Structures are given as structure tokens and as C-alpha cells.
């Protein structure tokens, strides 16, 4: 998969925060409209395991009116499809959201009680996750109030909710949005709404096996934009997501805004790509989707770009169906110019990779890399956002036409601005490690993201005749792909060539990233789990897989040493060069698994190193991090773009920075609800 989520980097996650469950500090959106960078309010509130942050649209005033219009239309297109993500995540999500929002708006009872506070916390968690399952763990979230109280709220707010949807909030059904447990039927164990609830894993795989042409070198993305349903006669069929099919009312709205965007496109290539995307939304034709991706990846000129449609397959346990998401982005010129050296030297990285020669691309094509500033997100990318993206996902398009990689600079900057203190002091073993992290971890994290996205996902090739990873590696494909890209980044971040390229000033940057990755993979990220849970999210699995595998591999030579001081555990790197060699060996093996489609080897790696949690370490991490009062997950209130009108003409687009998460969610529910 081609998305980087925010790693639990100590450089980013030592953040100050409010008390859990606190109300927003400011309840208006207009007051922050003209805030300078110095007094901008980066954090607004914290509740449960979540923090709500804000980001600024850097460079907005440098855009022309036409460019501002383009950004506005693209953001409106994105928001018009947000209901799709909610419905994809769970079949009852939309009606539950409607009921929760009606209660928030209409309930006039006691709002000082613990029950009401717990209700608001639960509601905000549902908003944050785009549904009733946790955005990261996939576990169904438990309300902190009784069913009787909820029914009272419904009654006193003059709203209703079906008995089935009401019951599911409080019962033990549909407990996992996405299950990765290979010992269960992956579909029957998953609540995600890509398949009718009674369709089995075996039935779905058989359905697509009949469709897939094993001989083509340019396969379409089978099943990407459809739901599998059971017909009245018991057979299985696809229902396409298109203007004339499922989600048609929302998609029609998306198309309308995309047509406006096409009318103010920066250049012919950009306009052409938008036109093909519109045709794809109208028809649902997956060949048109490939045509669009080729046009999009080749449209490299201009200051504005976007991601829009059904793209990533993390949320399908079988890896076929994609969740709706959008990102609208503005090029960061200075940062992009500096970092372009990575894509300019992409063949160096491929040629000098430790992977087998037969798995290397002789000619890596069309890789572009930009640092961008986000102007708006919708669907699966918000409130919790990636910090880097590499697309398209189709291996053959990447090989023949190239790819686009972006790092979301203003998102990373917002995390940096919102940081506090605590994690480094708690989890670094030596003063040297602490000082190195303070000095270099911010730079090392950005470099890791860039190498992961630009080099990692663009590297390597499949053997002739081997199916796509979702066919061969199935439920382990995403974990292994993220691990592969991470290992590329880890291997090269300690390459002296980066200093020659002017990307880093010292190899201490690479050491800081090694320290952080091992610290995070073996310990820090465990704070995201409750006691007794295993790791199921792909990025978390990948990080533990790489770190634990490296630790076990280097045990004999004490390359990574487990130390205990004052009852606290630390993992300390004793030999960075030998650890780099281990990372290279790991990369070689995971690339082999992907290139050859070796399911059993991939399964063994993930299940051995990536899934199970050391219970003693886990309890220790929870105890050590609890006292820091820093929520493990972060998400964003989106800026709001508002046209300034003179008659029927737009004369400017203003940017407002809302500060109230609840008010934004209610506004979205009123303005962008196109699925009933």
C-alpha cells in the first residue's frame, strides 16, 4: 500500500494536551481567520485517546484567483463524497451518525451529567473514526453510558434509530470493522460494508478468480469500486459505485464539482485527467480508472494537485475494494526543489539496493516527488491523515508510466508545532541518544517518509507470471508492502550517499531514525493497544515485524540490546552499521516474497514477528506513557474555504480556520449529506 501514517516518532509525539474530555477552547471559526503563524492555535481539545489539531494552508496568498477556485472546487468535490466512506465502513453508520447529530442539536436536558459528557465523548469518537469502529484498531467502540440513557436521549430529542442499529451499539455483534485473523473467515469476521454480511471469504475469492485474467500484463483493479451482494437466487454479483449505481447521489455531486474544477484547470494535461476521472465516476469502468491514473501520473505541471476516488484497499480484508478518500494539495516550491534530488537519483537507489538483481527494475520510470501543503481532505484521509502518499497503486502502471509521491509538509509542521515534552526523556537510555533525538529526529522522520514514499514504493518488480500481491499475499499484502517500503527507507537513511546529495548533513540523522524506529516498533506504539489485544493494523504490524525481526536476528552479536534500569526496559542499538546490514537482508527477503508471491513465507513472517504482543512490555509501556497524559492518536479540523462573491462572480476565496470540532462535524452533516 502506498500511504504513510504518522509514525509514533518521539520527535512528533511529545505533546502537551488538555485534560481528557475537555471542551473546545474556542467555539467560533471566524476569530482565528487572520491569525499569524506565531499565535495560531494548533491544538483545540483532547478526549478519550484522541487529540484534535489544526493546520495552516501555507502559500495560499501566492495563488492566483483561478488557482484558488480550482482548490475550492476540488475540496467541495471531496466533501461531497464523505458519506460514502461512512457507509463503506459499516452498514449502520449513516443512520447512527444522523441520530447522534440530532441528539447533539436537539437535546435540551441536563448537559452537566457524566452520562451526557460520556455521550459527547462517544459521539466525537464516532465522528473521528467515520463510524462506530475505532479508526486504527478497527474494534467497535464501547459507549460510556447505558442503553436506557441513549433511548432517553433519542426520545427527548424527537429522533429515532432502528432497533437493530440501536442494539449494535451495546451488543457483541460486528465487533471488528476489519479482521486480519487468518484463522477465521475474514469476511464473516469483518463488519466493513464491502460485502453482504453473509458472503464468505471463499465465495468472494472464487468470484474474482473467475474474472481475473492470469495472462494479462495490464490487469484492471478487479473489485476496486463495487460491493459484492447476494442476489435473490443465491448467486453473487457486483454493484458498482457510480453515478448510475450505488452511491449515485453523492457521486453526482462529486462530478458536478469536478466539472467546475476542470473548467479552471491549470493546464491541458490536468484538465484531461479530470475529464477522465469524471467519465470513470459516471461509468464505473475500471479500464477508465487505469486510463485516468495514467493521465494523472503524467500530469506533472502546475501548482495544484489532488487525490480523489476509491483508492486504498486497507479496509478490505481481501484487499480488493477501496475506500473513498480525497486530498487537495498545493506545491511547496522551496521544499520540493530541495527534495527533488531523491527522485532525480531514483535509479541509483534501485541499482544499489540489496535485493536480488532479478527483482530490480532496469529502468525506474516517471517517479516525481513533491513536498505539498494540504488545502483540504475528506473521506478516509480525515480527521486522521497520512503524512505521505505514493500513487497509483497498480504495479504495471507504476512500472510503465511512473508514480507520484508527496509528503504533506504542513501536516508534519502542525505536528511539530503541537509537540510538548516527555516521551524522549522517558524512553531514551543515554544522554547521547536523547540529545541526538532532540537535534535530528524531526529531520530524520521527514527523510524516512520521503525515502519510504519515493524510493520504497517505486522499487522492485514482480516475477513474470506472478499475480498482484492482493492475489498472492492476500491479507498479508499491505503489511508486507509497508514493511518493504520502510526497509528501503531504513537501509538508505544510513547511506553516506545522502550526504553527497545534500539531503543530510551528518550520519547522526540516520542513527536518530534507527533509534526511533526500534524504540517505536518494540515499545512505544503498543500504547495504542488495550491490555490483551494483538496487533491487527497493517502499519503497526509492519513496524513490529521489522523491529522485532531485526532484534531477534542480531541477538547473538548483541546488535540491539535489551536493557533494564530502575525497573524500566530500553532497547539500545550497539552497532548501527550491522543493523543496516540486517535491514538490507530483511528487505531482500520481503522483496523476494512479493516478487515470487510466496504466501506461506509472508504469512510466517507476519505471524511470527508482527502480531503477538509481549504482555509484560505492553503493560510497562502503558504505565510509563499514562503519566504523560498524551493521547496516542491525532486528527485535524479542516480549514474552510469560502468564496467572496460580487453578483454571480467569485472575486476571492477566503480561508477560515475553525476551532470547534463538534461544530464542523455538525456543519458537514447538514451540508454534505447526500446519502440517505
Amino acid at each position: 500500500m502506498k500511504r504513510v501514517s504518522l509514525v509514533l516518532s518521539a520527535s512528533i509525539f511529545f505533546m502537551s494536551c488538555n485534560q481528557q474530555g475537555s471542551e473546545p477552547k474556542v467555539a467560533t471559526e471566524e476569530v482565528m481567520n487572520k491569525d499569524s503563524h506565531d499565535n495560531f492555535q494548533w491544538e483545540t481539545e483532547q478526549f478519550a485517546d484522541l487529540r484534535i489539531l489544526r493546520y495552516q494552508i501555507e502559500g495560499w496568498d501566492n495563488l492566483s484567483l483561478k488557482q484558488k477556485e480550482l482548490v475550492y472546487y476540488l475540496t467541495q468535490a471531496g466533501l461531497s463524497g464523505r458519506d460514502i466512506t461512512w457507509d463503506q465502513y459499516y452498514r449502520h453508520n449513516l443512520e447512527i451518525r444522523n441520530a447522534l447529530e440530532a441528539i447533539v442539536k436537539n437535546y435540551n436536558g441536563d448537559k452537566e451529567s457524566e452520562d451526557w459528557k460520556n455521550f459527547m465523548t462517544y459521539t466525537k469518537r464516532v465522528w473521528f473514526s467515520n463510524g462506530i469502529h475505532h479508526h486504527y484498531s478497527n474494534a467497535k467502540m464501547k459507549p460510556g453510558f447505558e442503553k436506557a440513557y441513549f433511548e432517553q436521549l433519542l426520545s427527548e430529542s424527537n429522533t429515532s434509530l432502528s432497533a437493530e442499529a440501536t442494539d449494535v451499539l451495546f451488543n457483541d455483534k460486528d465487533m471488528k470493522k476489519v479482521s486480519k485473523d487468518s484463522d477465521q473467515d475474514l469476511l464473516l469476521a469483518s463488519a466493513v460494508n464491502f460485502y453482504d454480511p453473509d458472503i464468505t471469504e471463499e465465495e468472494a475469492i472464487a468470484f474474482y478468480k473467475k474474472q481475473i485474467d492470469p495472462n494479462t500484463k495490464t490487469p484492471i483493479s478487479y473489485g476496486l469500486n463495487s460491493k459484492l451482494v447476494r442476489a435473490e437466487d443465491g448467486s453473487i454479483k457486483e454493484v458498482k459505485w457510480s453515478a448510475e449505481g450505488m452511491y449515485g447521489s453523492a457521486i453526482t455531486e462529486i462530478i458536478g464539482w469536478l466539472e467546475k474544477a476542470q473548467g479552471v484547470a491549470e493546464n491541458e494535461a490536468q484538465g484531461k485527467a479530470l475529464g477522465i476521472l469524471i467519465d470513470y465516476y459516471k461509468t464505473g469502468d475500471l479500464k477508465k480508472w487505469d486510463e485516468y491514473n495514467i493521465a494523472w501520473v503524467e500530469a506533472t505541471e502546475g501548482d495544484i494537485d489532488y487525490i480523489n476516488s476509491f483508492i486504498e484497499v486497507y479496509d478490505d480484508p481481501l484487499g480488493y475494494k477501496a475506500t473513498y478518500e480525497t486530498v487537495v494539495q498545493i506545491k511547496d516550491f522551496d521544499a520540493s526543489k530541495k527534495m527533488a534530488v531523491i527522485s532525480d537519483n531514483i535509479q541509483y537507489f534501485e541499482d544499489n539496493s540489496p535485493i536480488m538483481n532479478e527483482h530490480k527494475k532496469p529502468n525506474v520510470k516517471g517517479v516525481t516527488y513533491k513536498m505539498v501543503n494540504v488545502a483540504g481532505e475528506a473521506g478516509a484521509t480525515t480527521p486522521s491523515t497520512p503524512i505521505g502518499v505514493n500513487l497509483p497503486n497498480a504495479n504495471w502502471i507504476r512500472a510503465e508510466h511512473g508514480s507520484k509521491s508527496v509528503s504533506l509538509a504542513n501536516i508534519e509542521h502542525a505536528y511539530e508545532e503541537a509537540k510538548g515534552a516527555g516521551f524522549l526523556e522517558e524512553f531514551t537510555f543515554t544522554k547521547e541518544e536523547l540529545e541526538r533525538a532532540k537535534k535530528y529526529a524531526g529531520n530524520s522522520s521527514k527523510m524516512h517518509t520521503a525515502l519510504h514514499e519515493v524510493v520504497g514504493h517505486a522499487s522492485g518488480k514482480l516475477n513474470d507470471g506472478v499475480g498482484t500481491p492482493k492475489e498472492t499475499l492476500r491479507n498479508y499484502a499491505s503489511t508486507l508492502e509497508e514493511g518493504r517500503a520502510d526497509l528501503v527507507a531504513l537501509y538508505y537513511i544510513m547511506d553516506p550517499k545522502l550526504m553527497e546529495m545534500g539531503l543530510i548533513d551528518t550520519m547522526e540523522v540516520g542513527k536518530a531514525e534507527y533509534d526511533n524506529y526500534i524504540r517505536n516498533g518494540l515499545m512505544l506504539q503498543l500504547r495504542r493497544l488495550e491490555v490483551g489485544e494483538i496487533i491487527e493494523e497493517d502499519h503497526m504490524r509492519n513496524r513490529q515485524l521489522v523491529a522485532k525481526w531485526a532484534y531477534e536476528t542480531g541477538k547473538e552479536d548483541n546488535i540491539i540490546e535489551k536493557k533494564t534500569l530502575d525497573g524500566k526496559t530500553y532497547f539500545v542499538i550497539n552497532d548501527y552499521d550491522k543493523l543496516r546490514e540486517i535491514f538490507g537482508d530483511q528487505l531482500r527477503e520481503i522483496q523476494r516474497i512479493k516478487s515470487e508471491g510466496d504466501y506461506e513465507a509472508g504469512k510466517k513472517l507476519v505471524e511470527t514477528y508482527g502480531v503477538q504482543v509481549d504482555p509484560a512490555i505492553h503493560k510497562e509501556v502503558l504505565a510509563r506513557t499514562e503519566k504523560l497524559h498524551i493521547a496516542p492518536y491525532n486528527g485535524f479540523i479542516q480549514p474552510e474555504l469560502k468564496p467572496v462573491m460580487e453578483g454571480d462572480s467569485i472575486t476571492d476565496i477566503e480561508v477560515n480556520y475553525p476551532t470547534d470540532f463538534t461544530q464542523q462535524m455538525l456543519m458537514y452533516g447538514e451540508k454534505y449529506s447526500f446519502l440517505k
Side-chain angles (χ1 to χ4, degrees):
M1 209 310 289
K2 314 302 185 288
R3 177 192 295 162
V4 172
S5 65
L6 180 65
V7 178
L8 284 170
S9 165
S11 69
I12 294 175
F13 274 90
F14 12 115
M15 302 170 177
S16 63
C17 54
N18 306 329
Q19 294 299 311
Q20 293 190 4
S22 61
E23 290 301 315
K25 296 176 183 177
V26 182
T28 74
E29 66 177 43
E30 306 300 335
V31 70
M32 306 300 288
N33 187 28
K34 298 185 184 300
D35 260 9
S36 70
H37 183 274
D38 292 337
N39 63 5
F40 189 77
Q41 183 185 356
W42 299 98
E43 177 191 348
T44 65
E45 64 176 314
Q46 175 167 302
F47 51 89
D49 57 354
L50 307 170
R51 289 203 325 152
I52 303 298
L53 309 179
R54 304 190 308 158
Y55 63 88
Q56 291 183 321
I57 307 177
E58 305 289 350
W60 180 255
D61 291 337
N62 297 327
L63 299 181
S64 68
L65 175 58
K66 186 177 179 181
Q67 288 175 314
K68 289 180 179 180
E69 285 188 72
L70 176 60
V71 172
Y72 172 67
Y73 297 143
L74 289 171
T75 57
Q76 294 302 299
L79 288 165
S80 296
R82 71 185 291 265
D83 276 3
I84 297 174
T85 306
W86 280 78
D87 190 70
Q88 289 177 320
Y89 279 168
Y90 186 52
R91 62 189 182 278
H92 292 305
N93 271 341
L94 284 175
E95 60 173 320
I96 290 171
R97 189 191 76 192
N98 290 341
L100 295 177
E101 291 177 356
I103 292 171
V104 173
K105 289 186 289 187
N106 299 329
Y107 179 66
N108 293 317
D110 183 2
K111 294 186 178 181
E112 298 300 322
S113 70
E114 286 303 309
D115 276 337
W116 176 258
K117 292 176 182 178
N118 290 338
F119 167 79
M120 283 304 304
T121 295
Y122 177 74
T123 297
K124 287 188 282 189
R125 295 184 75 193
V126 171
W127 281 328
F128 191 97
S129 295
N130 296 305
I132 66 171
H133 297 88
H134 194 278
H135 77 286
Y136 209 83
S137 74
N138 287 311
K140 188 167 69 172
M141 296 179 291
K142 299 176 181 178
F145 47 89
E146 298 297 324
K147 182 179 179 182
Y149 178 72
F150 181 64
E151 291 175 334
Q152 174 191 333
L153 293 180
L154 289 171
S155 176
E156 294 184 20
S157 303
N158 296 314
T159 191
S160 61
L161 185 63
S162 69
E164 183 178 357
T166 300
D167 289 344
V168 83
L169 298 180
F170 302 93
N171 63 26
D172 293 330
K173 294 182 179 179
D174 299 330
M175 294 299 290
K176 280 284 185 180
K177 181 175 72 177
V178 183
S179 174
K180 301 286 185 179
D181 186 352
S182 59
D183 292 332
Q184 301 183 66
D185 184 295
L186 293 176
L187 295 191
L188 297 182
S190 300
V192 69
N193 193 28
F194 292 135
Y195 305 85
D196 271 355
D198 65 337
I199 292 177
T200 67
E201 176 183 355
E202 181 180 0
E203 287 178 307
I205 291 174
F207 179 87
Y208 285 112
K209 189 174 182 179
K210 291 179 181 178
Q211 291 191 7
I212 293 171
D213 179 0
N215 298 315
T216 182
K217 294 184 178 181
T218 58
I220 61 171
S221 300
Y222 297 98
L224 188 77
N225 64 337
S226 66
K227 179 178 180 178
L228 275 194
V229 301
R230 193 178 299 282
E232 292 183 3
D233 62 1
S235 63
I236 295 175
K237 64 179 182 179
E238 279 187 324
V239 177
K240 286 289 183 74
W241 305 326
S242 67
E244 298 301 322
M246 189 173 178
Y247 302 140
S249 55
I251 290 173
T252 299
E253 291 290 332
I254 296 170
I255 290 171
W257 288 108
L258 290 179
E259 288 174 339
K260 290 179 180 291
Q262 187 182 21
V264 292
E266 294 179 279
N267 52 64
E268 184 178 350
Q270 189 183 71
K272 175 185 175 184
L274 282 166
I276 300 172
L277 178 59
I278 291 167
D279 289 343
Y280 165 65
Y281 269 130
K282 289 179 178 178
T283 64
D285 182 354
L286 286 170
K287 290 184 179 179
K288 187 66 68 174
W289 173 243
D290 289 341
E291 182 184 347
Y292 161 70
N293 276 284
I294 293 169
W296 175 79
V297 82
E298 292 179 348
T300 56
E301 301 299 322
D303 304 335
I304 313 300
D305 209 347
Y306 62 94
I307 296 162
N308 181 304
S309 198
F310 313 111
I311 297 173
E312 305 294 5
V313 296
Y314 285 120
D315 296 311
D316 179 1
L318 300 185
Y320 285 98
K321 304 185 178 304
T323 313
Y324 174 81
E325 65 177 71
T326 71
V327 181
V328 183
Q329 58 210 36
I330 303 166
K331 185 177 179 180
D332 184 324
F333 293 97
D334 293 337
S336 293
K337 184 177 180 180
K338 177 182 178 182
M339 298 297 284
V341 66
I342 297 179
S343 51
D344 291 344
N345 287 275
I346 193 69
Q347 197 63 49
Y348 165 84
F349 294 110
E350 187 75 355
D351 293 344
N352 290 276
S353 173
I355 66 177
M356 300 178 190
N357 287 333
E358 57 265 36
H359 298 154
K360 296 179 181 179
K361 293 177 180 176
N363 183 19
V364 185
K365 296 182 180 179
V367 176
T368 63
Y369 177 57
K370 294 179 181 179
M371 299 286 286
V372 301
N373 292 312
V374 174
E377 298 178 310
T381 51
T382 185
S384 178
T385 174
I387 56 172
V389 182
N390 180 285
L391 292 170
N393 284 332
N395 284 291
W396 70 267
I397 295 178
R398 298 166 67 81
E400 294 182 15
H401 301 276
S403 61
K404 287 181 179 178
S405 296
V406 296
S407 291
L408 311 186
N410 60 335
I411 296 295
E412 290 191 87
H413 180 68
Y415 284 122
E416 288 288 341
E417 289 288 345
K419 71 184 180 184
F423 275 129
L424 282 183
E425 288 78 2
E426 180 63 37
F427 285 94
T428 51
F429 186 72
T430 65
K431 183 178 179 180
E432 179 185 11
E433 181 186 349
L434 175 62
E435 292 305 314
R436 182 164 53 227
K438 286 183 175 180
K439 190 171 184 180
Y440 299 113
N443 188 19
S444 71
S445 177
K446 292 182 178 69
M447 190 57 57
H448 178 101
T449 300
L451 291 169
H452 174 112
E453 291 294 347
V454 185
V455 183
H457 286 307
S459 67
K461 65 177 183 178
L462 302 179
N463 290 357
D464 289 342
V466 173
T468 62
K470 71 181 179 184
E471 298 168 50
T472 58
L473 304 179
R474 305 202 293 274
N475 51 308
Y476 299 106
S478 292
T479 295
L480 292 168
E481 175 60 19
E482 293 305 318
R484 192 184 68 86
D486 264 359
L487 284 164
V488 170
L490 290 167
Y491 184 77
Y492 280 114
I493 205 166
M494 282 289 289
D495 187 344
K497 186 75 171 179
L498 294 189
M499 292 182 65
E500 293 180 31
M501 294 177 181
L503 291 169
I504 60 175
D505 297 325
T506 170
M507 296 310 297
E508 291 295 294
V509 173
K511 290 181 179 180
E513 184 58 22
Y514 277 25
D515 292 338
N516 172 67
Y517 199 92
I518 296 302
R519 186 189 310 125
N520 183 34
L522 293 179
M523 294 195 74
L524 263 176
Q525 71 170 4
L526 297 181
R527 74 194 187 107
R528 293 184 163 190
L529 302 176
E530 295 183 6
V531 173
E533 289 184 335
I534 63 171
I535 299 175
E536 295 198 68
E537 199 278 333
D538 289 311
H539 294 87
M540 286 184 66
R541 281 188 169 190
N542 124 59
R543 288 192 286 267
Q544 180 172 286
L545 184 159
V546 170
K548 188 175 181 181
W549 185 14
Y551 170 67
E552 295 290 344
T553 301
K555 250 185 177 180
E556 185 175 341
D557 295 325
N558 206 29
I559 294 172
I560 303 172
E561 184 177 357
K562 182 179 179 181
K563 294 187 177 185
T564 303
L565 180 65
D566 298 331
K568 296 179 180 180
T569 304
Y570 303 85
F571 289 90
V572 180
I573 300 171
N574 293 323
D575 194 321
Y576 292 90
D577 291 330
K578 287 186 177 179
L579 181 54
R580 186 185 185 225
E581 292 178 9
I582 290 176
F583 286 148
D585 292 340
Q586 291 177 320
L587 173 58
R588 181 184 178 94
E589 174 60 8
I590 291 185
Q591 182 63 61
R592 183 199 67 78
I593 288 170
K594 178 180 178 180
S595 295
E596 297 178 2
D598 189 345
Y599 173 81
E600 291 301 328
K603 175 182 178 181
K604 184 177 180 180
L605 271 184
V606 176
E607 295 292 344
T608 300
Y609 298 111
V611 178
Q612 299 302 321
V613 174
D614 182 322
I617 292 290
H618 187 197
K619 289 180 181 179
E620 179 187 331
V621 169
L622 292 176
R624 291 167 68 181
T625 56
E626 183 180 10
K627 65 183 181 182
L628 300 175
H629 304 293
I630 301 172
Y633 302 103
N634 299 266
F636 288 87
I637 298 173
Q638 296 296 308
E640 292 178 5
L641 307 181
K642 296 188 176 181
V644 177
M645 305 295 296
E646 283 189 8
D648 295 331
S649 299
I650 296 177
T651 59
D652 196 8
I653 306 288
E654 291 183 347
V655 180
N656 290 322
Y657 294 106
T659 59
D660 191 321
F661 180 64
T662 294
Q663 290 304 313
Q664 182 164 85
M665 291 297 101
L666 292 175
M667 183 274 287
Y668 281 174
E670 292 177 357
K671 188 174 180 181
Y672 301 105
S673 290
F674 298 112
L675 299 180
K676 302 300 181 182

